[in-house]
Amino acid sequence: MTQIAFIGLGNMGGPMARNLLKHNQHVTVFDLMPEAVDALVAAGAHKAGSPQEAVAGADVVVTMLPAAAHVKSLYLGEDGLLAHVDKSALLIDCSTIDAQSAIAVGEQAKQAGIAFIDAPVSGGVGGAAAGTLTFIMGGREADVERARPVLSMMGANLFRAGDLGAGQIAKVCNNMLLSVLMAGTSEALQLAIANGLDPKVMSDIMLQSSGCNWALQKYNPCPGVMDNVPSSNGYQGGFMVKLMNKDLTLAMDTAAQVGAATPMASAAQALYRLHQGQSNNADKDFSSIFNLFAKD
Ligand code: NAD
């Protein structure tokens, strides 16, 4: 049986690892938060006391960490994962980070004779729980093919965007659009509310009209319109405002490197930064940007 190590059991990694367990996989887990590890162990995972212990003997290693600094410090250095995994292991980093960092880790893995791909995801915590994530992979075709059987236990759509780092570029372009869609949807709903309309009725209208988009279909930002989304749970869980701001910084950096104009993303970045600076919003779900447009 394939031995899988899973490191990073937060809002996304936790439910992703659970889906591997549902497919009867042998999964060894590690996270800096002991309660996150305990929850997975209760679901049938094997507990590791360190990242090095988690990857010992693993055929496949999946990591799902907040940002590039976490990924580089975990993989690189004298005590990093690259120094501890079997040469035959496949390393899959699902975190959203900048392409340069993914390439840097991938190149060092290559020098050590170890296969590495970047495979950031789209689909949110709902998709992670349902096993319907979209994986956007970057790496050698042979390595991407090796990753498919494992990733298909956690996702419904698997794409190879190109070589190492291409998954991260594609992911950043997607999230740049998502930030704009969520801000625009919030602005439209608040305008309707300010004019006395029912946000549920307004949402139903837009769902059948030309303003229809993913935020309305899967992730309505107005509390009470949709069940089982962060807006109906005090904006807890989901995709944190600080992570959206991280992705918008990645998008702006990516644009700067090629001289691309991204005025919509620039406006969205200003809005999410403003929102993060108010009322301890950093750890709330990003759909809480809805409150920034409230009239009162
Ligand atoms: P999170 O903060 O909920 O989870 C990250 C986990 O990593 C935490 O449990 C943390 O303790 C753990 N961690 C950090 N450093 C570690 C280390 N060195 N060793 C072991 N564990 C470590 O974040 P999340 O929402 O799960 O997001 C993870 C990644 O997925 C981010 O890059 C994010 O941008 C991306 N992403 C998130 C969503 C979403 O909807 N939440 C959607 C798509 C992509």
Side-chain angles (χ1 to χ4, degrees):
M1 182 192 272
T2 307
Q3 308 270 324
I4 305 172
F6 204 114
I7 300 175
L9 306 166
N11 288 326
M12 295 296 286
M16 288 165 69
R18 276 173 195 275
N19 280 325
L20 294 174
L21 293 170
K22 282 181 197 156
H23 283 83
N24 298 316
Q25 298 301 298
H26 184 286
V27 186
T28 304
V29 295
F30 177 74
D31 192 290
L32 297 176
M33 310 284 280
E35 58 271 26
V37 173
D38 292 343
L40 263 294
V41 169
H46 299 261
K47 182 177 186 164
S50 67
Q52 295 79 9
E53 188 185 325
V55 303
D59 303 302
V60 177
V61 176
V62 183
T63 50
M64 191 51 160
L65 303 173
H70 307 87
V71 174
K72 286 198 272 194
S73 75
L74 182 72
Y75 277 96
L76 306 179
E78 270 181 25
D79 213 21
L81 295 188
L82 295 185
H84 288 269
V85 292
D86 289 354
K87 297 278 184 219
S88 58
L90 171 66
L91 311 179
I92 307 172
D93 180 42
C94 297
S95 323
T96 302
I97 64 173
D98 61 288
Q100 285 76 18
S101 294
I103 291 167
V105 175
E107 287 296 335
Q108 289 213 28
K110 191 175 169 190
Q111 280 167 23
I114 303 163
F116 173 95
I117 65 166
D118 49 303
V121 306
S122 180
V125 289
T132 56
L133 289 172
T134 296
F135 285 89
I136 311 165
M137 297 179 274
R140 290 189 330 138
E141 277 184 33
D143 299 335
V144 164
E145 287 312 308
R146 272 179 75 191
R148 285 184 189 277
V150 171
L151 299 186
S152 63
M153 294 179 220
M154 302 182 281
N157 302 291
L158 276 54
F159 293 101
R160 178 177 179 269
D163 293 331
L164 206 54
Q168 298 294 354
I169 300 278
K171 165 68 185 174
V172 147
C173 294
N174 178 75
N175 270 28
M176 184 178 90
L177 176 59
L178 172 64
S179 72
V180 172
L181 289 175
M182 188 57 83
T185 300
S186 295
E187 191 176 322
L189 284 171
Q190 289 284 19
L191 177 62
I193 292 167
N195 281 280
L197 271 64
D198 180 336
K200 171 85 175 76
V201 173
M202 185 68 219
S203 295
D204 288 342
I205 291 167
M206 290 194 289
L207 278 165
Q208 300 305 326
S209 305
S210 46
C212 184
N213 68 77
W214 186 90
L216 284 166
Q217 289 172 321
K218 300 275 173 75
Y219 218 98
N220 196 296
C222 178
V225 171
M226 199 177 253
D227 291 334
N228 301 320
V229 290
S231 62
S232 295
N233 183 33
Y235 298 105
Q236 298 306 303
F239 182 47
M240 290 181 269
V241 171
K242 65 185 180 191
L243 290 180
M244 179 53 94
N245 271 317
K246 175 202 67 170
D247 288 3
L248 282 166
T249 302
L250 293 178
M252 300 306 280
D253 289 349
T254 304
Q257 280 156 21
V258 292
T262 49
M264 303 295 282
S266 183
Q269 185 178 42
L271 290 169
Y272 284 94
R273 278 189 180 160
L274 186 64
H275 182 53
Q276 181 166 334
Q278 294 176 350
S279 316
N280 299 321
N281 288 327
D283 291 342
K284 289 184 188 158
D285 179 71
F286 81 113
S287 65
S288 62
I289 192 85
F290 178 75
N291 293 327
L292 190 67
F293 300 98
K295 191 159 163 287
D296 298 317

